[in-house]
Amino acid sequence: MTRERLLNAALVLALFAVPAWALWADEPFTITLATRAVIFALAAVGLNIALGLGGLVSLGHAVFFGIGGYAMGILASHAQNYTPIMEAPFLIEGTKSMPIIWLVAVLASGLAAWLIGLLSLRTSGVYFIMITLAFGQMAYFFATSWPTYGGEDGLSIYVRNGFPGLNTLVPIQFYGICLAWLLLVLALNRALMRSRFGLALNAARQVPDRVRAVGLDPPRLQLVALVLSGAITGLAGALFADLNRFVSPTMLSWQMSGEIMVFVIIGGVARLFGPVAGAGFYVLIEHWLGGVSEYWQIFLGLVLLLVVLFGKGGLVGMIAGARK
Amino acid sequence: MTAVLAATDLRKSFGALKATDGVSLTLREGEIHAIIGPNGAGKSTLIAQLCGSLAPDAGTVSFLGCNVTAQPVAARARMGLARTFQTSALAMEDTVLQNALLGALGASGKPWHFFAPVARDRGLKGRAEAALDAVGLADLRDVRTADLSHGQRRQLEVAVALTLEPKAFVMDEPMAGLGQEGSAQLTSFLADLKRTAPILLVEHDMDAVFALADRISVLVYGRIIATGTVDEIRRDAAVREAYLGDEA
């Protein structure tokens, strides 16, 4: 067993052990914190496909996170107000059902990623960063100025959405749903990294000329990667909105995009469990240092600086060594 | 005999510089056609137009009887045009086998598999391993490409081209930096390879060119000043003056 596998196993163990302890010690707030970490990790797993595997430095992933959030907010707010979303040409009603909300979140954020990708993948490097940032800002200002769904104030959903057979209001049960998603998506991501598509995408990041010369089209590979990436981050957004029972334009802000990127970079770019380590670490120091000083992000900045300067593979790289 | 790859009156200018100035050439079945010329003669620009990474201002490129002038690199590669790069273009973080697998994957035309592990894909793996065997890199299959020597990277370049099972090769200075022994090995390898598919060979190593080429074209200032057999080129006065000097 390599050190990276041991580390990954330890992280998975922690994902089960921490909430189990919290349940035993009757610390529901710890479970909420863990849920937050798991959802952030899921969002970052999404970004890691574009950033780590595809080499696409997207500073606009909050768009997908926010679209997922608003998919939940819009569907659930119509359901709780008993108003249809639209009546003509056919009736669409809101819903409080998580599976339907997830499906809508994934499809909507995937579609958004496809559209953004079509335009932004004509560029690369710093221009790609700027275009994705610009799309993020457009989505943010659109949401703040659209009064139907709360505008700047956001949307509150009074009761958490339902999942057949579970009481999602019980923190540990909602945590279970989020953890199941994270583990499933990590398993899919692991398969993706070893698949034909993963091999081609990985090469397209390193030597696009070679990939063209063997008859493949790097921008198409990257577009598909961005759609998968956006869809996963959108799913995380729907779960995040359900965790808080609230969605606001903050989820679409560029700071949110930056935070998701920080999870990936602190944890380890292109490492399977990098986003998990990064998001877990972030939530931990947000909680601990946030209690010590309201300027806790100074310390986060310091950590980020150290990781970028000295630990090229992020936390996973520092603990488990260079990637094989 | 029909041409596998043909350029007709290709022209490409960068501002006032005519990098390709009315070049016509053919690559026939079973031959090695070498292109030689001094630095700055426009060899790389010509290759870029043949392979599709640069669009000519005028003229046509045809491959297997089709006009491919408007086709991008990937489309020409899928038709069976394999190129090797002057400076190795390999995925340095990946292993030798993974680089060869990429070629086999490109040749299969089916990258849209998201779940099945590529390492257990017998078809791709067989093709990749056969190519590594052919160039003598089979023992190094699990080595990271970044850890290969310069010569081994040149061999891997050729192996990746082989995985495409191409209809024609375009090789941009495959001998560059190889040293005498390496050049000699690759020379004998290419002499066999031309039976698989014809090779358009851009090369500075004159020993290799004279040993391998069935025909030679001499490119000077974007124009082909002579095309012929090795002997014809050796005897050509204009070529001697422009390029070969007294040593030939």
mmCIF file of all heavy atoms in Angstrom, chain A residues 230-262:
data_model
loop_
_atom_site.group_PDB
_atom_site.id
_atom_site.type_symbol
_atom_site.label_atom_id
_atom_site.label_comp_id
_atom_site.label_asym_id
_atom_site.label_seq_id
_atom_site.Cartn_x
_atom_site.Cartn_y
_atom_site.Cartn_z
ATOM 1 N N GLY A 230 -18.416 21.001 -14.066
ATOM 2 C CA GLY A 230 -19.474 21.928 -13.674
ATOM 3 C C GLY A 230 -20.673 21.197 -13.091
ATOM 4 O O GLY A 230 -21.287 21.651 -12.118
ATOM 5 N N ALA A 231 -21.013 20.051 -13.646
ATOM 6 C CA ALA A 231 -22.169 19.301 -13.168
ATOM 7 C C ALA A 231 -21.951 18.827 -11.731
ATOM 8 O O ALA A 231 -22.864 18.883 -10.902
ATOM 9 C CB ALA A 231 -22.443 18.117 -14.088
ATOM 10 N N ILE A 232 -20.737 18.385 -11.434
ATOM 11 C CA ILE A 232 -20.445 17.913 -10.068
ATOM 12 C C ILE A 232 -20.492 19.078 -9.076
ATOM 13 O O ILE A 232 -21.093 18.987 -7.999
ATOM 14 C CB ILE A 232 -19.062 17.219 -10.029
ATOM 15 C CG1 ILE A 232 -19.120 15.921 -10.837
ATOM 16 C CG2 ILE A 232 -18.655 16.938 -8.589
ATOM 17 C CD1 ILE A 232 -17.767 15.289 -11.074
ATOM 18 N N THR A 233 -19.875 20.198 -9.475
ATOM 19 C CA THR A 233 -19.899 21.368 -8.599
ATOM 20 C C THR A 233 -21.335 21.870 -8.423
ATOM 21 O O THR A 233 -21.716 22.333 -7.343
ATOM 22 C CB THR A 233 -18.986 22.472 -9.160
ATOM 23 O OG1 THR A 233 -17.655 21.944 -9.269
ATOM 24 C CG2 THR A 233 -18.955 23.683 -8.246
ATOM 25 N N GLY A 234 -22.165 21.748 -9.468
ATOM 26 C CA GLY A 234 -23.576 22.134 -9.368
ATOM 27 C C GLY A 234 -24.333 21.257 -8.380
ATOM 28 O O GLY A 234 -25.149 21.747 -7.587
ATOM 29 N N LEU A 235 -24.046 19.962 -8.408
ATOM 30 C CA LEU A 235 -24.666 19.052 -7.451
ATOM 31 C C LEU A 235 -24.306 19.455 -6.031
ATOM 32 O O LEU A 235 -25.154 19.504 -5.132
ATOM 33 C CB LEU A 235 -24.196 17.618 -7.735
ATOM 34 C CG LEU A 235 -24.651 16.558 -6.736
ATOM 35 C CD1 LEU A 235 -26.150 16.355 -6.825
ATOM 36 C CD2 LEU A 235 -23.924 15.245 -6.966
ATOM 37 N N ALA A 236 -23.023 19.795 -5.831
ATOM 38 C CA ALA A 236 -22.572 20.251 -4.509
ATOM 39 C C ALA A 236 -23.318 21.517 -4.102
ATOM 40 O O ALA A 236 -23.688 21.684 -2.935
ATOM 41 C CB ALA A 236 -21.065 20.490 -4.516
ATOM 42 N N GLY A 237 -23.564 22.393 -5.086
ATOM 43 C CA GLY A 237 -24.292 23.630 -4.791
ATOM 44 C C GLY A 237 -25.703 23.350 -4.287
ATOM 45 O O GLY A 237 -26.176 23.990 -3.345
ATOM 46 N N ALA A 238 -26.385 22.375 -4.903
ATOM 47 C CA ALA A 238 -27.740 22.022 -4.469
ATOM 48 C C ALA A 238 -27.719 21.498 -3.041
ATOM 49 O O ALA A 238 -28.582 21.829 -2.221
ATOM 50 C CB ALA A 238 -28.336 20.983 -5.421
ATOM 51 N N LEU A 239 -26.698 20.681 -2.709
ATOM 52 C CA LEU A 239 -26.595 20.140 -1.350
ATOM 53 C C LEU A 239 -26.273 21.256 -0.349
ATOM 54 O O LEU A 239 -26.797 21.280 0.770
ATOM 55 C CB LEU A 239 -25.509 19.052 -1.303
ATOM 56 C CG LEU A 239 -25.820 17.764 -2.056
ATOM 57 C CD1 LEU A 239 -24.581 16.872 -2.130
ATOM 58 C CD2 LEU A 239 -26.967 17.010 -1.381
ATOM 59 N N PHE A 240 -25.411 22.194 -0.779
ATOM 60 C CA PHE A 240 -25.016 23.301 0.104
ATOM 61 C C PHE A 240 -26.229 24.165 0.442
ATOM 62 O O PHE A 240 -26.424 24.568 1.597
ATOM 63 C CB PHE A 240 -23.938 24.138 -0.576
ATOM 64 C CG PHE A 240 -23.279 25.145 0.322
ATOM 65 C CD1 PHE A 240 -22.481 24.733 1.384
ATOM 66 C CD2 PHE A 240 -23.442 26.500 0.107
ATOM 67 C CE1 PHE A 240 -21.866 25.666 2.217
ATOM 68 C CE2 PHE A 240 -22.832 27.437 0.931
ATOM 69 C CZ PHE A 240 -22.043 27.017 1.983
ATOM 70 N N ALA A 241 -27.050 24.439 -0.576
ATOM 71 C CA ALA A 241 -28.254 25.233 -0.335
ATOM 72 C C ALA A 241 -29.197 24.489 0.610
ATOM 73 O O ALA A 241 -29.842 25.096 1.470
ATOM 74 C CB ALA A 241 -28.953 25.533 -1.663
ATOM 75 N N ASP A 242 -29.246 23.178 0.469
ATOM 76 C CA ASP A 242 -30.116 22.395 1.351
ATOM 77 C C ASP A 242 -29.567 22.348 2.774
ATOM 78 O O ASP A 242 -30.316 22.315 3.743
ATOM 79 C CB ASP A 242 -30.278 20.965 0.801
ATOM 80 C CG ASP A 242 -31.743 20.636 0.553
ATOM 81 O OD1 ASP A 242 -32.587 21.172 1.305
ATOM 82 O OD2 ASP A 242 -32.034 19.862 -0.366
ATOM 83 N N LEU A 243 -28.249 22.343 2.897
ATOM 84 C CA LEU A 243 -27.631 22.359 4.229
ATOM 85 C C LEU A 243 -28.023 23.640 4.967
ATOM 86 O O LEU A 243 -28.413 23.607 6.135
ATOM 87 C CB LEU A 243 -26.101 22.275 4.096
ATOM 88 C CG LEU A 243 -25.305 22.504 5.392
ATOM 89 C CD1 LEU A 243 -25.531 21.352 6.366
ATOM 90 C CD2 LEU A 243 -23.827 22.662 5.112
ATOM 91 N N ASN A 244 -27.935 24.763 4.273
ATOM 92 C CA ASN A 244 -28.210 26.060 4.894
ATOM 93 C C ASN A 244 -29.682 26.436 4.840
ATOM 94 O O ASN A 244 -30.085 27.411 5.448
ATOM 95 C CB ASN A 244 -27.401 27.153 4.189
ATOM 96 C CG ASN A 244 -25.910 26.871 4.227
ATOM 97 O OD1 ASN A 244 -25.412 26.371 5.230
ATOM 98 N ND2 ASN A 244 -25.210 27.160 3.135
ATOM 99 N N ARG A 245 -30.437 25.681 4.047
ATOM 100 C CA ARG A 245 -31.828 26.030 3.738
ATOM 101 C C ARG A 245 -31.914 27.483 3.262
ATOM 102 O O ARG A 245 -32.816 28.231 3.611
ATOM 103 C CB ARG A 245 -32.729 25.790 4.951
ATOM 104 C CG ARG A 245 -33.134 24.332 5.076
ATOM 105 C CD ARG A 245 -33.664 23.996 6.425
ATOM 106 N NE ARG A 245 -32.568 23.748 7.358
ATOM 107 C CZ ARG A 245 -32.721 23.584 8.653
ATOM 108 N NH1 ARG A 245 -33.917 23.655 9.189
ATOM 109 N NH2 ARG A 245 -31.698 23.334 9.423
ATOM 110 N N PHE A 246 -30.939 27.862 2.516
ATOM 111 C CA PHE A 246 -30.840 29.258 2.084
ATOM 112 C C PHE A 246 -29.921 29.322 0.871
ATOM 113 O O PHE A 246 -28.920 28.626 0.804
ATOM 114 C CB PHE A 246 -30.254 30.093 3.232
ATOM 115 C CG PHE A 246 -30.009 31.531 2.887
ATOM 116 C CD1 PHE A 246 -31.078 32.384 2.604
ATOM 117 C CD2 PHE A 246 -28.719 32.037 2.853
ATOM 118 C CE1 PHE A 246 -30.846 33.714 2.281
ATOM 119 C CE2 PHE A 246 -28.485 33.366 2.540
ATOM 120 C CZ PHE A 246 -29.554 34.207 2.252
ATOM 121 N N VAL A 247 -30.295 30.146 -0.104
ATOM 122 C CA VAL A 247 -29.395 30.381 -1.232
ATOM 123 C C VAL A 247 -29.397 31.879 -1.520
ATOM 124 O O VAL A 247 -30.440 32.539 -1.447
ATOM 125 C CB VAL A 247 -29.815 29.566 -2.478
ATOM 126 C CG1 VAL A 247 -31.266 29.793 -2.846
ATOM 127 C CG2 VAL A 247 -28.917 29.901 -3.669
ATOM 128 N N SER A 248 -28.206 32.412 -1.779
ATOM 129 C CA SER A 248 -28.117 33.842 -2.092
ATOM 130 C C SER A 248 -27.032 34.029 -3.144
ATOM 131 O O SER A 248 -26.275 33.099 -3.442
ATOM 132 C CB SER A 248 -27.776 34.645 -0.832
ATOM 133 O OG SER A 248 -26.403 34.508 -0.554
ATOM 134 N N PRO A 249 -26.943 35.242 -3.716
ATOM 135 C CA PRO A 249 -25.926 35.467 -4.745
ATOM 136 C C PRO A 249 -24.492 35.222 -4.255
ATOM 137 O O PRO A 249 -23.594 35.032 -5.075
ATOM 138 C CB PRO A 249 -26.126 36.940 -5.111
ATOM 139 C CG PRO A 249 -27.558 37.206 -4.810
ATOM 140 C CD PRO A 249 -27.857 36.391 -3.588
ATOM 141 N N THR A 250 -24.290 35.197 -2.922
ATOM 142 C CA THR A 250 -22.945 34.912 -2.396
ATOM 143 C C THR A 250 -22.392 33.609 -2.975
ATOM 144 O O THR A 250 -21.194 33.485 -3.220
ATOM 145 C CB THR A 250 -22.993 34.800 -0.863
ATOM 146 O OG1 THR A 250 -23.740 35.900 -0.365
ATOM 147 C CG2 THR A 250 -21.599 34.805 -0.274
ATOM 148 N N MET A 251 -23.299 32.643 -3.191
ATOM 149 C CA MET A 251 -22.844 31.363 -3.751
ATOM 150 C C MET A 251 -22.281 31.533 -5.162
ATOM 151 O O MET A 251 -21.555 30.675 -5.644
ATOM 152 C CB MET A 251 -24.007 30.362 -3.792
ATOM 153 C CG MET A 251 -24.213 29.615 -2.485
ATOM 154 S SD MET A 251 -25.552 28.405 -2.615
ATOM 155 C CE MET A 251 -24.732 27.059 -3.454
ATOM 156 N N LEU A 252 -22.644 32.639 -5.826
ATOM 157 C CA LEU A 252 -22.184 32.884 -7.199
ATOM 158 C C LEU A 252 -20.987 33.831 -7.256
ATOM 159 O O LEU A 252 -20.488 34.133 -8.324
ATOM 160 C CB LEU A 252 -23.320 33.501 -8.021
ATOM 161 C CG LEU A 252 -24.508 32.608 -8.378
ATOM 162 C CD1 LEU A 252 -25.729 33.446 -8.669
ATOM 163 C CD2 LEU A 252 -24.165 31.736 -9.571
ATOM 164 N N SER A 253 -20.540 34.300 -6.091
ATOM 165 C CA SER A 253 -19.521 35.357 -6.079
ATOM 166 C C SER A 253 -18.148 34.816 -6.480
ATOM 167 O O SER A 253 -17.881 33.618 -6.384
ATOM 168 C CB SER A 253 -19.434 35.975 -4.690
ATOM 169 O OG SER A 253 -18.944 35.008 -3.779
ATOM 170 N N TRP A 254 -17.284 35.713 -6.886
ATOM 171 C CA TRP A 254 -15.956 35.249 -7.294
ATOM 172 C C TRP A 254 -15.152 34.781 -6.096
ATOM 173 O O TRP A 254 -14.251 33.953 -6.228
ATOM 174 C CB TRP A 254 -15.206 36.313 -8.106
ATOM 175 C CG TRP A 254 -14.840 37.548 -7.353
ATOM 176 C CD1 TRP A 254 -15.547 38.694 -7.240
ATOM 177 C CD2 TRP A 254 -13.624 37.766 -6.621
ATOM 178 N NE1 TRP A 254 -14.880 39.604 -6.478
ATOM 179 C CE2 TRP A 254 -13.697 39.072 -6.089
ATOM 180 C CE3 TRP A 254 -12.494 36.989 -6.363
ATOM 181 C CZ2 TRP A 254 -12.669 39.617 -5.306
ATOM 182 C CZ3 TRP A 254 -11.470 37.532 -5.589
ATOM 183 C CH2 TRP A 254 -11.564 38.833 -5.067
ATOM 184 N N GLN A 255 -15.524 35.289 -4.888
ATOM 185 C CA GLN A 255 -14.847 34.782 -3.687
ATOM 186 C C GLN A 255 -15.132 33.295 -3.506
ATOM 187 O O GLN A 255 -14.262 32.536 -3.090
ATOM 188 C CB GLN A 255 -15.318 35.550 -2.445
ATOM 189 C CG GLN A 255 -14.823 36.984 -2.378
ATOM 190 C CD GLN A 255 -15.812 37.962 -2.977
ATOM 191 O OE1 GLN A 255 -16.607 37.597 -3.852
ATOM 192 N NE2 GLN A 255 -15.757 39.200 -2.537
ATOM 193 N N MET A 256 -16.360 32.900 -3.854
ATOM 194 C CA MET A 256 -16.723 31.481 -3.750
ATOM 195 C C MET A 256 -15.874 30.657 -4.731
ATOM 196 O O MET A 256 -15.348 29.607 -4.372
ATOM 197 C CB MET A 256 -18.220 31.325 -4.074
ATOM 198 C CG MET A 256 -18.780 29.963 -3.779
ATOM 199 S SD MET A 256 -18.902 29.647 -2.004
ATOM 200 C CE MET A 256 -17.986 28.119 -1.911
ATOM 201 N N SER A 257 -15.735 31.165 -5.964
ATOM 202 C CA SER A 257 -14.875 30.474 -6.940
ATOM 203 C C SER A 257 -13.471 30.321 -6.385
ATOM 204 O O SER A 257 -12.830 29.276 -6.520
ATOM 205 C CB SER A 257 -14.793 31.272 -8.245
ATOM 206 O OG SER A 257 -16.030 31.307 -8.893
ATOM 207 N N GLY A 258 -12.993 31.414 -5.760
ATOM 208 C CA GLY A 258 -11.642 31.395 -5.192
ATOM 209 C C GLY A 258 -11.529 30.368 -4.080
ATOM 210 O O GLY A 258 -10.545 29.635 -4.002
ATOM 211 N N GLU A 259 -12.574 30.298 -3.234
ATOM 212 C CA GLU A 259 -12.521 29.334 -2.132
ATOM 213 C C GLU A 259 -12.454 27.909 -2.661
ATOM 214 O O GLU A 259 -11.675 27.089 -2.173
ATOM 215 C CB GLU A 259 -13.750 29.487 -1.225
ATOM 216 C CG GLU A 259 -13.548 30.527 -0.134
ATOM 217 C CD GLU A 259 -14.792 30.745 0.714
ATOM 218 O OE1 GLU A 259 -15.552 29.774 0.920
ATOM 219 O OE2 GLU A 259 -15.007 31.893 1.147
ATOM 220 N N ILE A 260 -13.281 27.605 -3.669
ATOM 221 C CA ILE A 260 -13.264 26.241 -4.222
ATOM 222 C C ILE A 260 -11.867 25.934 -4.770
ATOM 223 O O ILE A 260 -11.327 24.836 -4.608
ATOM 224 C CB ILE A 260 -14.337 26.075 -5.322
ATOM 225 C CG1 ILE A 260 -15.727 26.343 -4.752
ATOM 226 C CG2 ILE A 260 -14.301 24.675 -5.918
ATOM 227 C CD1 ILE A 260 -16.841 26.357 -5.790
ATOM 228 N N MET A 261 -11.255 26.947 -5.401
ATOM 229 C CA MET A 261 -9.910 26.726 -5.936
ATOM 230 C C MET A 261 -8.902 26.528 -4.808
ATOM 231 O O MET A 261 -7.983 25.709 -4.915
ATOM 232 C CB MET A 261 -9.498 27.895 -6.835
ATOM 233 C CG MET A 261 -8.283 27.561 -7.676
ATOM 234 S SD MET A 261 -7.796 28.908 -8.742
ATOM 235 C CE MET A 261 -9.081 28.878 -9.934
ATOM 236 N N VAL A 262 -9.094 27.274 -3.703
ATOM 237 C CA VAL A 262 -8.204 27.118 -2.550
ATOM 238 C C VAL A 262 -8.289 25.698 -1.987
ATOM 239 O O VAL A 262 -7.264 25.097 -1.635
ATOM 240 C CB VAL A 262 -8.541 28.176 -1.466
ATOM 241 C CG1 VAL A 262 -7.903 27.818 -0.130
ATOM 242 C CG2 VAL A 262 -8.081 29.555 -1.917
#
